[in-house]
Amino acid sequence: MIDMEKLIGIIIASSLINNVVLSQFLGICPFLGVSKKVKTAAGMGGAVVFVITISSAVAAVIYNFILEPNGLEYLQTIVFILVIAALVQFVEMFLKKFVKGLYKALGVYLPLITTNCAVLGVALTNVQKSYDVLESTVNGFATAAGFMLSIVLMAGIRERIEGNDIPESFKGTPIVLVSAGLMAIAFIGFLGL
C-alpha cells in the first residue's frame, strides 16, 4: 500500500528543506555555470530532472532486485555511475537532434551531468535511507525539482543583477556567491515544514 503521507514528506524534504544545492551543496558547478539566463537554467533543470528521476528509479530496481539479493552491494557506486552515464548520453543525443539551441547553450555542462555529484548523491541517499523503488523515484524527482527551482531562481536573480549598479569588488562571481548564500539562508526558513 502506498503511504501518501510519507511520499509528501519526501517531496517537501527533498525539494525544499534539504535542497540539494542550497543545503547539501551538491551540484554547485552547473548551478553557478548555467544560471546566467533563465531559459538556459530551465533547460538544464529539465535535463537534470529527467536524469535524476529515471536514474533513481533504475538504480533502485537494480539495487533492490539484483545487487542486494545477491550480496553485491559493494558494486552499487559503479553500477549507479554506469546508469547515470547512459541516461546522460541519451539526453545529450535527444537535445542534439531535437533541441539544438538548448544543446548549444548548455555546452560543456550537459555532459557534466554525468559527474554531477547531485545525481549520484540521490541514488546513494535512496540506498542509505532504504527507500523502495517508488520512494526512490519520488525522492529523485523531488530532489531534481529542488535543483531546478534553485537554478532558475538564481538565473532570475543574476538577470536582475546585470542591470544594477554594483561596487566593482562585488561584480561577477562575488555577488553571485553572496546571492547564493542569501538563497540558502532563505531556504532554511522551510525547516519548520
Side-chain angles (χ1 to χ4, degrees):
M1 185 170 171
I2 298 173
D3 185 1
M4 288 304 290
E5 201 171 294
K6 184 175 183 181
L7 293 179
I8 290 171
I10 290 172
I11 291 169
I12 292 170
S14 295
S15 60
L16 299 175
I17 298 169
N18 299 319
N19 185 284
V20 72
V21 175
L22 302 173
S23 171
Q24 298 176 23
F25 306 112
L26 298 174
I28 296 293
C29 179
F31 174 72
L32 295 175
V34 183
S35 63
K36 292 179 182 156
K37 300 287 179 204
V38 171
K39 187 175 180 181
T40 308
M44 175 60 114
V48 169
V49 166
F50 176 80
V51 170
I52 290 181
T53 303
I54 302 300
S55 69
S56 293
V58 172
V61 168
I62 291 171
Y63 183 82
N64 290 328
F65 298 110
I66 298 172
L67 297 180
E68 192 174 42
N70 293 310
L72 300 171
E73 294 94 341
Y74 61 91
L75 293 175
Q76 70 186 10
T77 304
I78 295 168
V79 171
F80 294 169
I81 289 171
L82 291 173
V83 167
I84 292 164
L87 287 169
V88 169
Q89 285 300 312
F90 174 74
V91 169
E92 190 172 2
M93 289 186 304
F94 176 82
L95 291 178
K96 190 174 185 178
K97 184 161 179 95
F98 296 109
V99 193
K100 291 179 182 173
L102 180 58
Y103 175 78
K104 287 180 182 177
L106 292 176
V108 71
Y109 293 101
L110 185 59
L112 284 178
I113 294 174
T114 303
T115 59
N116 186 340
C117 53
V119 183
L120 181 59
V122 172
L124 294 174
T125 299
N126 292 338
V127 169
Q128 184 182 28
K129 292 187 176 183
S130 301
Y131 286 158
D132 62 22
V133 175
L134 177 62
E135 292 167 344
S136 295
T137 306
V138 168
N139 183 50
F141 176 78
T143 301
F147 176 86
M148 185 174 185
L149 173 67
S150 60
I151 196 171
V152 169
L153 285 173
M154 177 53 84
I157 290 169
R158 287 179 78 170
E159 284 184 359
R160 296 286 307 248
I161 288 173
E162 268 183 26
N164 292 332
D165 186 29
I166 299 171
E168 192 63 36
S169 60
F170 278 95
K171 286 187 179 176
T173 304
I175 194 68
V176 172
L177 294 175
V178 168
S179 300
L182 291 172
M183 283 177 62
I185 291 170
F187 270 67
I188 289 173
F190 293 116
L191 206 55
L193 289 177

Short mmCIF file of all heavy atoms in Angstrom, two decimals, residues 6 9 21 27 30-31 33 47 49 77 87 89 91 93 142 147 152 163-164 168 178:
data_model
loop_
_atom_site.label_atom_id
_atom_site.label_comp_id
_atom_site.label_asym_id
_atom_site.label_seq_id
_atom_site.Cartn_x
_atom_site.Cartn_y
_atom_site.Cartn_z
N LYS A 6 3.98 9.69 3.71
CA LYS A 6 5.44 9.55 3.63
C LYS A 6 5.97 10.13 2.32
O LYS A 6 7.00 10.80 2.31
CB LYS A 6 5.84 8.08 3.75
CG LYS A 6 7.35 7.88 3.77
CD LYS A 6 7.75 6.45 4.01
CE LYS A 6 9.26 6.33 4.09
NZ LYS A 6 9.70 4.96 4.30
N GLY A 9 5.96 13.84 2.51
CA GLY A 9 7.08 14.24 3.36
C GLY A 9 8.40 14.19 2.61
O GLY A 9 9.25 15.09 2.76
N VAL A 21 21.22 21.73 -3.66
CA VAL A 21 22.22 22.77 -3.93
C VAL A 21 22.42 23.66 -2.71
O VAL A 21 23.55 23.89 -2.29
CB VAL A 21 21.81 23.64 -5.14
CG1 VAL A 21 22.78 24.77 -5.36
CG2 VAL A 21 21.72 22.80 -6.40
N GLY A 27 26.09 19.66 -6.69
CA GLY A 27 25.67 20.21 -7.98
C GLY A 27 25.96 21.69 -8.13
O GLY A 27 25.30 22.39 -8.88
N PRO A 30 27.14 23.17 -12.12
CA PRO A 30 26.13 23.64 -13.06
C PRO A 30 25.28 24.77 -12.48
O PRO A 30 24.82 25.65 -13.20
CB PRO A 30 25.28 22.41 -13.36
CG PRO A 30 25.59 21.44 -12.30
CD PRO A 30 26.95 21.77 -11.77
N PHE A 31 25.10 24.76 -11.16
CA PHE A 31 24.32 25.82 -10.51
C PHE A 31 24.94 27.19 -10.78
O PHE A 31 24.25 28.14 -11.13
CB PHE A 31 24.23 25.55 -9.01
CG PHE A 31 23.56 26.63 -8.21
CD1 PHE A 31 22.20 26.83 -8.30
CD2 PHE A 31 24.30 27.45 -7.37
CE1 PHE A 31 21.58 27.83 -7.56
CE2 PHE A 31 23.69 28.44 -6.63
CZ PHE A 31 22.33 28.63 -6.72
N GLY A 33 27.47 27.74 -13.12
CA GLY A 33 27.88 27.88 -14.51
C GLY A 33 26.75 28.11 -15.50
O GLY A 33 26.93 28.78 -16.51
N ALA A 47 16.75 18.85 -17.89
CA ALA A 47 17.62 17.70 -18.17
C ALA A 47 17.99 16.98 -16.87
O ALA A 47 17.98 15.74 -16.81
CB ALA A 47 18.89 18.16 -18.89
N VAL A 49 16.22 17.00 -14.07
CA VAL A 49 15.00 16.34 -13.57
C VAL A 49 14.84 14.98 -14.24
O VAL A 49 14.60 13.97 -13.58
CB VAL A 49 13.74 17.22 -13.79
CG1 VAL A 49 12.47 16.42 -13.58
CG2 VAL A 49 13.75 18.42 -12.85
N THR A 77 28.11 1.79 -6.38
CA THR A 77 28.62 3.05 -6.93
C THR A 77 28.96 2.89 -8.41
O THR A 77 28.59 3.75 -9.23
CB THR A 77 29.86 3.53 -6.15
OG1 THR A 77 29.51 3.63 -4.77
CG2 THR A 77 30.35 4.87 -6.65
N LEU A 87 22.12 7.43 -19.20
CA LEU A 87 20.99 8.36 -19.30
C LEU A 87 21.42 9.73 -19.81
O LEU A 87 20.71 10.35 -20.61
CB LEU A 87 20.29 8.49 -17.95
CG LEU A 87 19.46 7.29 -17.54
CD1 LEU A 87 19.04 7.40 -16.09
CD2 LEU A 87 18.24 7.16 -18.42
N GLN A 89 23.91 10.33 -21.80
CA GLN A 89 24.16 10.17 -23.23
C GLN A 89 22.85 10.22 -24.02
O GLN A 89 22.78 10.83 -25.08
CB GLN A 89 24.89 8.85 -23.52
CG GLN A 89 26.34 8.89 -23.14
CD GLN A 89 27.10 9.95 -23.90
OE1 GLN A 89 26.99 10.07 -25.12
NE2 GLN A 89 27.84 10.77 -23.18
N VAL A 91 20.06 11.79 -23.09
CA VAL A 91 19.60 13.19 -23.07
C VAL A 91 20.39 14.03 -24.06
O VAL A 91 19.83 14.84 -24.80
CB VAL A 91 19.69 13.77 -21.64
CG1 VAL A 91 19.48 15.28 -21.65
CG2 VAL A 91 18.70 13.09 -20.72
N MET A 93 21.99 13.08 -26.81
CA MET A 93 21.62 12.75 -28.19
C MET A 93 20.25 13.34 -28.54
O MET A 93 20.06 13.86 -29.64
CB MET A 93 21.60 11.23 -28.39
CG MET A 93 22.97 10.60 -28.39
SD MET A 93 22.98 8.83 -28.78
CE MET A 93 21.90 8.14 -27.56
N ALA A 142 11.76 14.83 -6.62
CA ALA A 142 11.68 15.98 -5.72
C ALA A 142 13.03 16.68 -5.58
O ALA A 142 13.11 17.91 -5.57
CB ALA A 142 11.15 15.55 -4.36
N PHE A 147 16.51 21.20 -7.30
CA PHE A 147 17.65 21.69 -8.07
C PHE A 147 17.18 22.68 -9.12
O PHE A 147 17.74 23.77 -9.27
CB PHE A 147 18.39 20.53 -8.73
CG PHE A 147 19.53 20.96 -9.61
CD1 PHE A 147 20.79 21.17 -9.08
CD2 PHE A 147 19.34 21.15 -10.97
CE1 PHE A 147 21.85 21.58 -9.89
CE2 PHE A 147 20.38 21.56 -11.79
CZ PHE A 147 21.65 21.77 -11.25
N VAL A 152 16.86 28.04 -11.42
CA VAL A 152 16.03 29.03 -12.12
C VAL A 152 15.93 30.31 -11.29
O VAL A 152 16.00 31.42 -11.83
CB VAL A 152 14.65 28.45 -12.47
CG1 VAL A 152 13.70 29.53 -12.96
CG2 VAL A 152 14.79 27.37 -13.54
N GLY A 163 21.62 44.52 -14.51
CA GLY A 163 21.24 45.91 -14.76
C GLY A 163 21.47 46.83 -13.58
O GLY A 163 21.17 48.02 -13.66
N ASN A 164 21.99 46.33 -12.48
CA ASN A 164 22.17 47.15 -11.28
C ASN A 164 23.59 47.69 -11.18
O ASN A 164 24.52 47.15 -11.76
CB ASN A 164 21.85 46.33 -10.03
CG ASN A 164 20.38 45.99 -9.94
OD1 ASN A 164 19.55 46.72 -10.45
ND2 ASN A 164 20.06 44.88 -9.30
N GLU A 168 32.55 47.67 -7.75
CA GLU A 168 33.49 46.93 -8.60
C GLU A 168 33.98 45.63 -7.95
O GLU A 168 34.10 44.61 -8.60
CB GLU A 168 34.69 47.83 -8.95
CG GLU A 168 35.56 47.28 -10.05
CD GLU A 168 34.84 47.16 -11.39
OE1 GLU A 168 34.00 48.01 -11.73
OE2 GLU A 168 35.12 46.16 -12.09
N VAL A 178 27.37 35.69 -2.97
CA VAL A 178 26.58 36.34 -1.91
C VAL A 178 25.10 36.04 -2.12
O VAL A 178 24.38 35.71 -1.17
CB VAL A 178 26.84 37.87 -1.88
CG1 VAL A 178 25.84 38.59 -1.00
CG2 VAL A 178 28.27 38.16 -1.42
#
